[in-house]
mmCIF file of all heavy atoms in Angstrom:
data_model
loop_
_atom_site.group_PDB
_atom_site.id
_atom_site.type_symbol
_atom_site.label_atom_id
_atom_site.label_comp_id
_atom_site.label_asym_id
_atom_site.label_seq_id
_atom_site.Cartn_x
_atom_site.Cartn_y
_atom_site.Cartn_z
ATOM 1 N N ALA A 99 -6.027 14.889 -4.125
ATOM 2 C CA ALA A 99 -6.254 16.336 -4.105
ATOM 3 C C ALA A 99 -7.395 16.705 -5.044
ATOM 4 O O ALA A 99 -8.256 17.521 -4.708
ATOM 5 C CB ALA A 99 -4.978 17.074 -4.494
ATOM 6 N N ARG A 100 -7.407 16.098 -6.245
ATOM 7 C CA ARG A 100 -8.490 16.353 -7.212
ATOM 8 C C ARG A 100 -9.838 15.936 -6.650
ATOM 9 O O ARG A 100 -10.819 16.672 -6.730
ATOM 10 C CB ARG A 100 -8.214 15.576 -8.503
ATOM 11 C CG ARG A 100 -7.859 16.407 -9.671
ATOM 12 C CD ARG A 100 -7.737 15.660 -10.985
ATOM 13 N NE ARG A 100 -7.561 14.227 -10.956
ATOM 14 C CZ ARG A 100 -6.396 13.590 -10.924
ATOM 15 N NH1 ARG A 100 -5.275 14.279 -10.891
ATOM 16 N NH2 ARG A 100 -6.332 12.288 -10.918
ATOM 17 N N LEU A 101 -9.905 14.723 -6.095
ATOM 18 C CA LEU A 101 -11.181 14.245 -5.554
ATOM 19 C C LEU A 101 -11.642 15.092 -4.376
ATOM 20 O O LEU A 101 -12.825 15.405 -4.247
ATOM 21 C CB LEU A 101 -11.065 12.784 -5.122
ATOM 22 C CG LEU A 101 -11.018 11.751 -6.231
ATOM 23 C CD1 LEU A 101 -10.918 10.349 -5.643
ATOM 24 C CD2 LEU A 101 -12.231 11.845 -7.128
ATOM 25 N N HIS A 102 -10.711 15.440 -3.504
ATOM 26 C CA HIS A 102 -11.063 16.241 -2.330
ATOM 27 C C HIS A 102 -11.555 17.630 -2.753
ATOM 28 O O HIS A 102 -12.530 18.143 -2.203
ATOM 29 C CB HIS A 102 -9.854 16.346 -1.396
ATOM 30 C CG HIS A 102 -10.154 17.017 -0.105
ATOM 31 N ND1 HIS A 102 -10.986 16.463 0.836
ATOM 32 C CD2 HIS A 102 -9.751 18.203 0.394
ATOM 33 C CE1 HIS A 102 -11.073 17.279 1.867
ATOM 34 N NE2 HIS A 102 -10.336 18.346 1.626
ATOM 35 N N PHE A 103 -10.906 18.223 -3.744
ATOM 36 C CA PHE A 103 -11.285 19.544 -4.234
ATOM 37 C C PHE A 103 -12.699 19.542 -4.806
ATOM 38 O O PHE A 103 -13.459 20.483 -4.620
ATOM 39 C CB PHE A 103 -10.285 20.028 -5.288
ATOM 40 C CG PHE A 103 -10.607 21.378 -5.847
ATOM 41 C CD1 PHE A 103 -10.401 22.518 -5.084
ATOM 42 C CD2 PHE A 103 -11.131 21.510 -7.122
ATOM 43 C CE1 PHE A 103 -10.705 23.772 -5.593
ATOM 44 C CE2 PHE A 103 -11.440 22.769 -7.638
ATOM 45 C CZ PHE A 103 -11.223 23.898 -6.869
ATOM 46 N N THR A 104 -13.062 18.482 -5.507
ATOM 47 C CA THR A 104 -14.397 18.414 -6.102
ATOM 48 C C THR A 104 -15.459 18.040 -5.071
ATOM 49 O O THR A 104 -16.646 18.082 -5.373
ATOM 50 C CB THR A 104 -14.446 17.386 -7.252
ATOM 51 O OG1 THR A 104 -14.152 16.099 -6.728
ATOM 52 C CG2 THR A 104 -13.478 17.748 -8.356
ATOM 53 N N GLY A 105 -15.030 17.646 -3.873
ATOM 54 C CA GLY A 105 -15.972 17.284 -2.826
ATOM 55 C C GLY A 105 -16.567 15.900 -2.988
ATOM 56 O O GLY A 105 -17.512 15.536 -2.285
ATOM 57 N N GLN A 106 -16.026 15.115 -3.915
ATOM 58 C CA GLN A 106 -16.576 13.785 -4.179
ATOM 59 C C GLN A 106 -16.360 12.825 -3.020
ATOM 60 O O GLN A 106 -17.253 12.085 -2.642
ATOM 61 C CB GLN A 106 -15.969 13.206 -5.449
ATOM 62 C CG GLN A 106 -16.382 13.938 -6.690
ATOM 63 C CD GLN A 106 -15.705 13.362 -7.923
ATOM 64 O OE1 GLN A 106 -14.880 12.480 -7.849
ATOM 65 N NE2 GLN A 106 -16.068 13.894 -9.073
ATOM 66 N N VAL A 107 -15.161 12.819 -2.489
ATOM 67 C CA VAL A 107 -14.826 11.876 -1.430
ATOM 68 C C VAL A 107 -13.592 12.378 -0.692
ATOM 69 O O VAL A 107 -12.783 13.118 -1.254
ATOM 70 C CB VAL A 107 -14.600 10.457 -2.024
ATOM 71 C CG1 VAL A 107 -13.351 10.399 -2.857
ATOM 72 C CG2 VAL A 107 -14.582 9.395 -0.958
ATOM 73 N N ARG A 108 -13.481 12.006 0.554
ATOM 74 C CA ARG A 108 -12.318 12.407 1.344
ATOM 75 C C ARG A 108 -11.269 11.303 1.328
ATOM 76 O O ARG A 108 -11.606 10.126 1.309
ATOM 77 C CB ARG A 108 -12.725 12.671 2.787
ATOM 78 C CG ARG A 108 -13.581 13.889 2.938
ATOM 79 C CD ARG A 108 -13.969 14.085 4.386
ATOM 80 N NE ARG A 108 -14.774 15.257 4.500
ATOM 81 C CZ ARG A 108 -14.450 16.281 5.267
ATOM 82 N NH1 ARG A 108 -13.368 16.240 6.002
ATOM 83 N NH2 ARG A 108 -15.226 17.333 5.311
ATOM 84 N N PRO A 109 -9.994 11.700 1.378
ATOM 85 C CA PRO A 109 -8.936 10.689 1.433
ATOM 86 C C PRO A 109 -8.989 9.941 2.764
ATOM 87 O O PRO A 109 -9.602 10.410 3.732
ATOM 88 C CB PRO A 109 -7.649 11.500 1.310
ATOM 89 C CG PRO A 109 -8.017 12.907 1.578
ATOM 90 C CD PRO A 109 -9.481 13.057 1.347
ATOM 91 N N PRO A 110 -8.343 8.785 2.822
ATOM 92 C CA PRO A 110 -8.326 8.022 4.079
ATOM 93 C C PRO A 110 -7.728 8.827 5.227
ATOM 94 O O PRO A 110 -6.839 9.659 5.017
ATOM 95 C CB PRO A 110 -7.435 6.819 3.751
ATOM 96 C CG PRO A 110 -7.520 6.678 2.268
ATOM 97 C CD PRO A 110 -7.658 8.076 1.745
ATOM 98 N N GLN A 111 -8.233 8.578 6.416
ATOM 99 C CA GLN A 111 -7.637 9.174 7.614
ATOM 100 C C GLN A 111 -6.272 8.535 7.822
ATOM 101 O O GLN A 111 -5.992 7.468 7.284
ATOM 102 C CB GLN A 111 -8.529 8.921 8.817
ATOM 103 C CG GLN A 111 -9.884 9.553 8.708
ATOM 104 C CD GLN A 111 -10.790 9.163 9.870
ATOM 105 O OE1 GLN A 111 -10.341 8.608 10.863
ATOM 106 N NE2 GLN A 111 -12.062 9.462 9.740
ATOM 107 N N THR A 112 -5.432 9.185 8.608
ATOM 108 C CA THR A 112 -4.079 8.661 8.790
ATOM 109 C C THR A 112 -3.824 8.201 10.215
ATOM 110 O O THR A 112 -4.426 8.682 11.168
ATOM 111 C CB THR A 112 -3.013 9.706 8.415
ATOM 112 O OG1 THR A 112 -3.187 10.856 9.234
ATOM 113 C CG2 THR A 112 -3.111 10.093 6.965
ATOM 114 N N ALA A 113 -2.908 7.256 10.303
ATOM 115 C CA ALA A 113 -2.369 6.783 11.580
ATOM 116 C C ALA A 113 -0.867 7.000 11.513
ATOM 117 O O ALA A 113 -0.258 6.839 10.449
ATOM 118 C CB ALA A 113 -2.696 5.308 11.787
#
Side-chain angles (χ1 to χ4, degrees):
R100 250 187 341 270
L101 286 181
H102 186 67
F103 180 74
T104 62
Q106 292 178 356
V107 69
R108 291 179 180 238
Q111 297 174 12
T112 59

